[in-house]
Amino acid sequence: MSPFRQSVHSEAFVLAMDRSIGELFVRHLSLFGTLSEADRHALLNIKGRIGVLEKGQDILRVGDKPTHVVAVLSGMLQRYTLDAEGERQIHSFYLGGDVPSLEGLHIDVMDNALGAVTTSRVALVTHVDMFALLHAHPNLAALCWRETLVQAAVFREWLARNSKKLAHAQTAHLFCEMITRAKANGLSDGKSMSLPVTQKDLADALGMSVVHVNRTLQTLRSTGEVELKNGILTIGDFATVADLAGFDPAYLHLTA
Amino acid sequence: MSPFRQSVHSEAFVLAMDRSIGELFVRHLSLFGTLSEADRHALLNIKGRIGVLEKGQDILRVGDKPTHVVAVLSGMLQRYTLDAEGERQIHSFYLGGDVPSLEGLHIDVMDNALGAVTTSRVALVTHVDMFALLHAHPNLAALCWRETLVQAAVFREWLARNSKKLAHAQTAHLFCEMITRAKANGLSDGKSMSLPVTQKDLADALGMSVVHVNRTLQTLRSTGEVELKNGILTIGDFATVADLAGFDPAYLHLTA
DNA sequence: CGGGTCTTTGACCAAGGTCAATACGCGTGG
DNA sequence: CCACGCGTATTGACCTTGGTCAAAGACCCG
């Protein structure tokens, strides 16, 4: 049992008294469609609890029956699984502004875990509240459904990337995705972003060994176009890197 | 333009006069949850068109705006993408009884294609009809949403498989999935099934070369536990193969 | 019988994994 | 302030898996 999960209802997770959670949902869902004034108003009134997830802590584990929707206020989460040998596969990274667990609304048992890559602030909204909201606003239900479908598209892209591309293209592709999503979330200017991952994290996302990740990063660094240092990812010319990576943002289905 | 797509409304696709489409939906959705009598009744009245998709033909292409939900009556479909070099990545196979494209209800533009691995009979239901149905039966909407989430779980599993496992384990894992799903659809006794794929198809699903697929199949065959011949997959002892593959069906979220 | 598709084989090659040692950075306690 | 310890990054040597290329069978169907 994660100590965190036991404290979801304790003081560690305090009721949000402002509209920060609602604002996050408004911004996030706006990435995938249009909100009516009524939708916006309803979202802004979302009530939830806010707390801190320490680096390495899980908020959802395999086998859990989710009861809350999780939103990332700041920091970075990972969705991952462990195989029989204890090897981790990271399926996605989530940045501030992302809502990783809308899927939990209709999945009874988690087949993967959600944890903090770095110390993060997260918000929790009960499924009960979410269902009430979605029931009253069918357009929001459609948008949330759509959001989960876009996440599925991202999984497919990761599948294609990890199955086919060479190490440097894989790595560049992941970086392009992260920068593009960070920009959409207002966390990047398209040139650099906070990416607080270790090389082991990258290895477990890309399906490569740490040693090879290290060497690949050096290669990319030597081109002068890509640098990851002290948790800051910097890209020279996005188009150049995207080309190297074979990156096409269509799968992210961003309306912007 | 696919000639097929142009003929969706022509005589090639004839109105189904019986309940075969509705029955397919009832069986399929029952795999993921419970249907009320009203749900069942509504589903059975689904109207759609039925037609044949020749081997290699696409029913949806990248860039298309889907207008119908596709259900597989018989045969086998693949979801796939092509990269810049024309390399295909298969993201999933769909058997008779599967409904590959519920996601199309809320995705405006396809970022992947759906085509026939082998000559198949497919049914089409208009989005208009589906939306009316889901609007009138919120429980069905929840179930359809859930179905798309299970598909996402399958994409994640493919990601983990293709990223980490060795060739023989990858191949065995895919076979375990296919047999398990075929069994759920009433198309297999758990020992063998129709799997009309070429070695190239497997290669493009598993992210390996055809040559290596060929050698891997030979290795598996030599264990006496796995054989793929003339489009028929046969497994000796499922538990043995599942163990070799590191296969755990939890991600399929089957209620049965 | 001829041509296309699919499978199989052999020889060789390269990307990336493994193992083990070393270096670096940073926080903690003395 | 410095030594220590831990997690992370880096390097080198070596090895395995699986890719590539090219040719030859098999099979199928008109």
Side-chain angles (χ1 to χ4, degrees):
Chain A
M1 262 295 175
S2 140
F4 175 83
R5 287 182 294 148
Q6 296 178 326
S7 65
V8 161
H9 298 289
S10 77
E11 291 91 89
F13 262 51
V14 300
L15 220 56
M17 299 311 289
D18 58 11
R19 298 190 145 191
S20 53
I21 298 178
E23 283 162 4
L24 187 154
F25 274 89
V26 167
R27 260 182 289 119
H28 185 62
L29 292 179
S30 295
L31 293 177
F32 304 105
T34 340
L35 299 174
S36 72
E37 258 320 304
D39 294 337
R40 193 180 309 266
H41 182 74
L43 283 173
L44 286 174
N45 283 321
I46 287 182
K47 288 285 167 283
R49 290 171 176 273
I50 290 178
V52 171
L53 202 56
E54 296 298 332
K55 178 174 176 168
Q57 248 183 332
D58 289 334
I59 182 126
L60 286 170
R61 296 239 176 113
V62 172
D64 281 357
K65 297 177 197 307
T67 57
H68 293 69
V69 166
V70 179
V72 187
L73 292 161
S74 69
M76 185 162 144
L77 305 193
Q78 54 161 335
R79 181 191 294 271
Y80 70 97
T81 50
L82 299 175
D83 68 13
E85 290 82 43
E87 284 292 301
R88 174 179 58 159
Q89 174 67 50
I90 295 179
H91 297 270
S92 209
F93 291 117
Y94 298 98
L95 303 169
D98 285 340
V99 183
S101 73
L102 281 174
E103 59 152 25
L105 289 169
H106 290 290
I107 283 287
D108 44 2
V109 179
M110 293 293 291
D111 59 42
N112 57 74
L114 191 63
V117 174
T118 190
T119 302
S120 307
R121 289 180 68 238
V122 303
L124 301 177
V125 180
T126 68
H127 281 186
V128 173
D129 287 355
M130 284 300 295
F131 282 128
L133 180 70
L134 301 190
H135 180 71
H137 300 268
N139 184 42
L140 290 181
L143 260 183
C144 285
W145 186 349
R146 182 170 152 80
E147 200 269 3
T148 64
L149 296 171
V150 173
Q151 282 201 39
V154 174
F155 298 141
R156 287 194 296 268
E157 187 75 10
W158 281 44
L159 167 66
R161 157 163 45 74
N162 287 14
S163 297
K164 298 271 193 202
K165 290 186 194 289
L166 296 177
H168 64 277
Q170 268 189 69
T171 311
H173 186 283
L174 174 59
F175 289 168
C176 285
E177 175 182 315
M178 293 314 294
I179 289 251
T180 304
R181 287 174 42 203
K183 195 173 170 188
N185 287 11
L187 299 173
S188 167
D189 58 359
K191 286 287 183 188
S192 77
M193 69 178 288
S194 164
L195 194 67
V197 293
T198 65
Q199 294 184 0
K200 180 73 169 87
D201 294 331
L202 291 177
D204 289 347
L206 299 170
M208 344 191 325
S209 68
V210 205
V211 172
H212 204 60
V213 165
N214 183 285
R215 292 186 166 127
T216 303
L217 287 176
Q218 290 180 48
T219 309
L220 289 174
R221 198 180 305 151
S222 73
T223 67
E225 288 292 338
V226 181
E227 163 138 309
L228 177 60
K229 193 171 185 173
N230 299 328
I232 307 287
L233 171 67
T234 312
I235 281 187
D237 181 48
F238 187 88
T240 306
V241 180
D243 188 55
L244 166 75
F247 176 80
D248 174 349
Y251 71 94
L252 294 173
H253 292 271
L254 295 169
T255 48
Chain B
M1 262 296 174
S2 140
F4 175 82
R5 288 182 293 149
Q6 297 178 325
S7 63
V8 161
H9 300 287
S10 77
E11 293 92 88
F13 262 51
V14 299
L15 220 55
M17 299 312 289
D18 58 12
R19 299 191 144 190
S20 54
I21 299 178
E23 282 160 6
L24 186 153
F25 274 88
V26 167
R27 260 183 289 120
H28 185 63
L29 292 179
S30 295
L31 294 177
F32 304 106
T34 341
L35 298 174
S36 71
E37 257 322 303
D39 294 337
R40 193 181 308 267
H41 183 74
L43 283 173
L44 286 174
N45 282 321
I46 287 181
K47 287 285 167 284
R49 289 171 175 274
I50 290 177
V52 171
L53 201 56
E54 296 298 332
K55 177 175 178 168
Q57 247 183 332
D58 289 333
I59 181 125
L60 286 168
R61 296 239 177 115
V62 171
D64 281 357
K65 299 178 196 306
T67 57
H68 293 68
V69 166
V70 179
V72 187
L73 292 162
S74 68
M76 185 162 145
L77 304 193
Q78 53 161 335
R79 179 191 294 271
Y80 71 97
T81 51
L82 299 175
D83 69 15
E85 290 82 45
E87 284 292 302
R88 175 179 57 159
Q89 174 68 49
I90 296 180
H91 298 269
S92 211
F93 291 117
Y94 297 98
L95 303 170
D98 286 339
V99 183
S101 75
L102 281 174
E103 60 153 23
L105 288 168
H106 291 289
I107 284 287
D108 44 1
V109 179
M110 291 295 289
D111 58 43
N112 57 74
L114 191 63
V117 174
T118 190
T119 302
S120 307
R121 290 181 67 238
V122 302
L124 301 177
V125 180
T126 68
H127 282 186
V128 173
D129 287 354
M130 283 302 294
F131 282 129
L133 180 69
L134 301 190
H135 180 71
H137 301 269
N139 184 43
L140 290 181
L143 260 183
C144 286
W145 188 346
R146 180 172 152 79
E147 200 268 5
T148 63
L149 296 171
V150 173
Q151 281 202 38
V154 174
F155 298 141
R156 286 194 298 267
E157 187 75 10
W158 281 45
L159 168 66
R161 159 169 35 81
N162 286 16
S163 296
K164 299 272 193 201
K165 291 186 194 290
L166 296 176
H168 64 278
Q170 269 190 69
T171 311
H173 186 283
L174 174 60
F175 289 167
C176 285
E177 176 182 316
M178 294 314 294
I179 288 251
T180 304
R181 287 173 43 203
K183 195 173 169 188
N185 286 11
L187 299 173
S188 167
D189 58 0
K191 286 285 184 189
S192 79
M193 69 178 287
S194 164
L195 193 67
V197 293
T198 66
Q199 295 185 2
K200 180 75 169 86
D201 294 330
L202 290 177
D204 289 347
L206 299 169
M208 336 187 336
S209 67
V210 205
V211 172
H212 204 60
V213 165
N214 182 284
R215 293 185 165 128
T216 302
L217 288 176
Q218 290 180 49
T219 308
L220 289 173
R221 197 180 305 150
S222 73
T223 68
E225 288 291 338
V226 181
E227 163 137 309
L228 177 61
K229 193 170 185 175
N230 300 327
I232 306 288
L233 171 67
T234 311
I235 280 188
D237 180 48
F238 187 88
T240 305
V241 180
D243 188 55
L244 166 75
F247 176 79
D248 174 350
Y251 71 94
L252 294 172
H253 292 271
L254 295 169
T255 49

